Amino acid sequence: MRKFLVLLSFMLLVGLLAACAGDDSSGESSGDGGEGGGLEGEITLYSPETPDLTEELAAKYEEIHGQKVNVHYAGTNVLVNQMLAEKENPQADVWYGGGGILPFESAVDRGIITPFVPESAEDWEVVENGIKMKHEEGYYTGAELFVLGFSYNTDLVSEEEAPKTWEDLLDPKWEGKIQFPNPAASGTATLMVLSYMMQHGEEAGWEYFQKLASQANSIPDSGSGPTKSAAMGEAHIAVGFDFMAYDHKAKGETVDFIVPEKTPILVNPMSLVKDGPNPEGGKNFMEFMLSEEAQQILANWHHIPINPDVESKTPLNLDAISDHAVDLDIDWVNENYDKIRNEWQNNIN
């Protein structure tokens, strides 16, 4: 009997040690700081993009890699502020999306993202055909392409009479029929203002936007609001990104999209969060985002895929839009971004 008790005690001790070892391994794989993060741990994704889209991307990644992805959704500014607040103890591994590169450019100096370039993007030029595809030091990489342009209600406006340039928006025939987002609140509209002023100067720029504002029947805070209004017939013309129009069109609504002769065309980036809990998982998710599987999901949501092996679901692709791209001076944009937003209320009555 005594031998049995000794043997039983020994077996319990071995089991306890094995359990402790398992706990240590689990702690490392989930990435409780430092380089311990591995592919076995969960990945936390911060994204302002449509929740259903990001959940679909997460589900596809989990299906392929068997690794859980937790999606945390909020607006771009909210997420940036959250990452700043979490800077001493980061909770996210990957940040994807923000309406283009401007928030990511700002994040470089704020120290909340860290360099990593997926293998399939290593040979990309930093700027291709006037479009900045990735950060020069690898702080972000494009996942898809966005075009800033004009949505129009096809019951109210023909393709022939729809505006083709930014100056066309000032035609008297559009008075009271245009909507564009509020640059004091919307990054989409801030990009519109900065791009125009970079090309024409601030004095001419404020004069232009005074006139444009007088053409508008509403200037909502939401970047997608004007396109929705155009689809509903509450506006004839709306300023917004391409995918917004094509998403409404796919639902059978009477809206289409015009790419202006010269306009901002941006990648929508992804980045590795600095000191995130699972860096290896984060890197693997970024590799996945450029795969055919992920790019097909983006294409299905009417985003322009960046992987040449995936066909766009809209008339737009890299070849079709590159001649329209405005060469943005990113340094100038960064220097003037907050100033222009702050001055909008004072300059536009």
Side-chain angles (χ1 to χ4, degrees):
M1 181 68 180
R2 184 178 179 183
K3 288 182 178 179
F4 173 77
L5 291 174
V6 170
L7 179 60
L8 179 61
S9 298
F10 176 75
M11 291 175 66
L12 289 171
L13 178 61
V14 170
L16 180 60
L17 290 173
C20 290
D23 287 344
D24 289 343
S25 173
S26 174
E28 288 184 7
S29 66
S30 62
D32 293 334
E35 296 180 356
L39 296 181
E40 296 83 3
E42 295 184 351
I43 298 168
T44 299
L45 170 66
Y46 281 8
S47 178
E49 300 304 326
T50 306
D52 287 346
L53 165 62
T54 48
E55 290 291 352
E56 188 174 345
L57 288 165
K60 176 58 70 172
Y61 179 88
E62 291 172 15
E63 175 189 325
I64 295 172
H65 297 281
Q67 184 180 20
K68 175 69 176 174
V69 178
N70 297 311
V71 179
H72 179 72
Y73 169 80
T76 301
N77 290 338
V78 173
L79 288 177
V80 169
N81 289 335
Q82 184 170 344
M83 285 186 279
L84 287 169
E86 297 169 351
K87 195 171 178 180
E88 299 305 315
N89 184 28
Q91 301 299 303
D93 301 301
V94 181
W95 168 22
Y96 154 60
I101 65 177
L102 300 188
F104 288 79
E105 287 282 345
S106 177
V108 173
D109 293 332
R110 296 182 176 191
I112 56 176
I113 56 179
T114 193
F116 173 71
V117 178
E119 184 178 354
S120 58
E122 287 178 354
D123 293 335
W124 292 2
E125 297 292 336
V126 171
V127 177
E128 296 184 12
N129 298 316
I131 304 170
K132 190 170 184 180
M133 305 292 284
K134 62 181 181 181
H135 189 266
E136 56 270 21
E137 296 178 10
Y139 278 90
Y140 62 77
T141 302
E144 60 202 326
L145 292 157
F146 286 169
V147 179
L148 188 64
F150 313 139
S151 300
Y152 65 98
N153 186 293
T154 54
D155 281 345
L156 303 173
V157 181
S158 68
E159 182 179 1
E160 291 72 26
E161 66 177 333
K164 306 300 189 296
T165 70
W166 290 94
E167 286 71 25
D168 287 346
L169 295 179
L170 300 185
D171 190 311
K173 69 182 178 182
W174 303 126
E175 184 177 356
K177 300 176 181 178
I178 291 176
Q179 287 193 20
F180 62 89
N182 178 10
S186 165
T188 301
T190 306
L191 173 64
M192 169 187 70
V193 176
L194 287 167
S195 172
Y196 194 91
M197 290 188 174
M198 189 185 68
Q199 297 174 75
H200 302 282
E202 289 191 43
E203 183 177 350
W206 288 123
E207 181 180 346
Y208 171 84
F209 286 107
Q210 284 278 7
K211 294 177 180 177
L212 184 63
S214 69
Q215 296 276 78
N217 64 33
S218 180
I219 305 176
D221 286 347
S222 167
S224 60
T227 302
K228 182 177 181 180
S229 293
M232 295 173 64
E234 296 172 357
H236 288 53
I237 306 293
V239 173
F241 283 124
D242 57 299
F243 68 89
M244 299 172 181
Y246 290 119
D247 185 54
H248 284 286
K249 185 177 181 179
K251 295 174 183 175
E253 298 175 40
T254 55
V255 67
D256 213 333
F257 186 77
I258 294 286
V259 181
E261 286 183 7
K262 287 297 178 182
T263 196
I265 298 174
L266 303 174
V267 294
N268 196 35
M270 56 185 170
S271 181
L272 196 67
V273 176
K274 186 177 181 181
D275 298 326
N278 190 351
E280 293 306 314
K283 292 175 183 178
N284 205 47
F285 188 84
M286 287 179 65
E287 297 280 4
F288 158 78
M289 283 292 291
L290 296 181
S291 70
E292 289 190 34
E293 292 86 354
Q295 292 282 297
Q296 187 61 61
I297 291 173
L298 295 176
N300 292 343
W301 280 82
H302 309 105
H303 296 199
I304 303 173
I306 212 164
N307 185 325
D309 294 326
V310 176
E311 186 176 353
S312 176
K313 294 281 187 175
T314 79
L316 308 184
N317 55 45
L318 183 57
D319 290 337
I321 62 178
S322 58
D323 288 343
H324 295 263
V326 170
D327 189 7
L328 293 173
D329 183 340
I330 298 301
D331 290 336
W332 188 92
V333 167
N334 286 335
E335 290 171 6
N336 290 276
Y337 188 82
D338 290 333
K339 184 187 79 168
I340 294 299
R341 289 169 70 97
N342 294 334
E343 289 182 357
W344 176 267
Q345 297 290 4
N346 296 327
N347 284 287
I348 303 300
N349 299 320

